[in-house]
Amino acid sequence: MPPFKNLSGDPAQDYFADGVTENITTKLSRIRNSFVISRETAFTFKGKGVDAREVGKELGVRHVLEGSVQRDGSRVRVNAQLIDAETGAHLGSDRFDEDIADLFKLQDQVVARLAKHLGPRTVLRKPKKAARSKNPDAVDLTMRGRCADDADDTE
């Protein structure tokens, strides 16, 4: 996840975008079976216009989260896009608007929505392991269990 960009027009607000990046990275890393790069690695991409596919190849990740932060007085807007690191395709995007007093609530919303996008995609990318079972019901139940576990881990 490259650091979120500061779109506020005020370089003094970089700390704010960096803080949002760090907090979202921490929360995403709590999702079971997820692989999230460290904040230090993420910040090596700060200020560089890198393609999600390049990031995916360099770091060996399936998904790249890109985003931006805008702060205007007591309001903050966060835009986030989940990108398939292999194809560069957008898997989902969302915009979040909150009062600055509710920043933690905003970050929780971002992570919860991302987990919904990531959970099923992560399970669907692992079917070969589960498909070895001779019982088709076992495969179905395994996939359902993983989706339920991932959803529970974001709460």
Side-chain angles (χ1 to χ4, degrees):
M1 174 173 110
F4 278 35
K5 295 177 185 171
N6 170 16
L7 298 182
S8 298
D10 179 3
Q13 293 297 317
D14 281 351
Y15 80 93
F16 185 74
D18 293 348
V20 169
T21 299
E22 184 169 355
N23 288 322
I24 291 174
T25 299
T26 299
K27 286 192 173 285
L28 285 173
S29 70
R30 292 182 181 164
I31 298 172
R32 188 180 335 166
N33 297 325
S34 68
F35 172 72
V36 180
I37 63 168
S38 73
R39 78 180 276 291
E40 293 301 319
T41 302
F43 282 102
T44 64
F45 294 100
K46 185 174 180 174
K48 299 177 182 174
V50 293
D51 183 86
R53 291 172 291 195
E54 292 175 32
V55 173
K57 285 178 189 173
E58 186 174 330
L59 300 176
V61 295
R62 292 184 200 168
H63 304 98
V64 174
L65 179 64
E66 299 177 338
S68 62
V69 176
Q70 291 176 284
R71 183 174 173 184
D72 184 26
S74 66
R75 302 285 301 162
V76 63
R77 173 175 288 166
V78 174
N79 289 292
Q81 301 87 33
L82 186 62
I83 311 290
D84 182 300
E86 186 177 330
T87 66
H90 279 73
L91 300 175
S93 62
D94 218 331
R95 183 177 82 193
F96 308 85
D97 292 295
E98 285 290 333
D99 190 274
I100 196 71
D102 295 327
L103 182 60
F104 296 130
K105 176 183 171 186
L106 174 80
Q107 291 169 350
D108 289 343
Q109 289 174 353
V110 171
V111 172
R113 289 188 201 168
L114 289 171
K116 285 182 183 179
H117 284 293
L118 281 173
R121 291 183 198 314
T122 303
V123 170
L124 292 175
R125 286 215 170 180
K126 297 179 186 176
K128 292 179 184 175
K129 227 180 202 181
R132 291 185 189 140
S133 173
K134 294 179 183 180
N135 182 344
D137 291 332
V139 174
D140 182 52
L141 291 172
T142 300
M143 292 179 76
R144 287 179 194 223
R146 286 184 183 158
C147 285
D149 284 347
D150 288 343
D152 290 342
D153 289 342
T154 62
E155 295 175 2

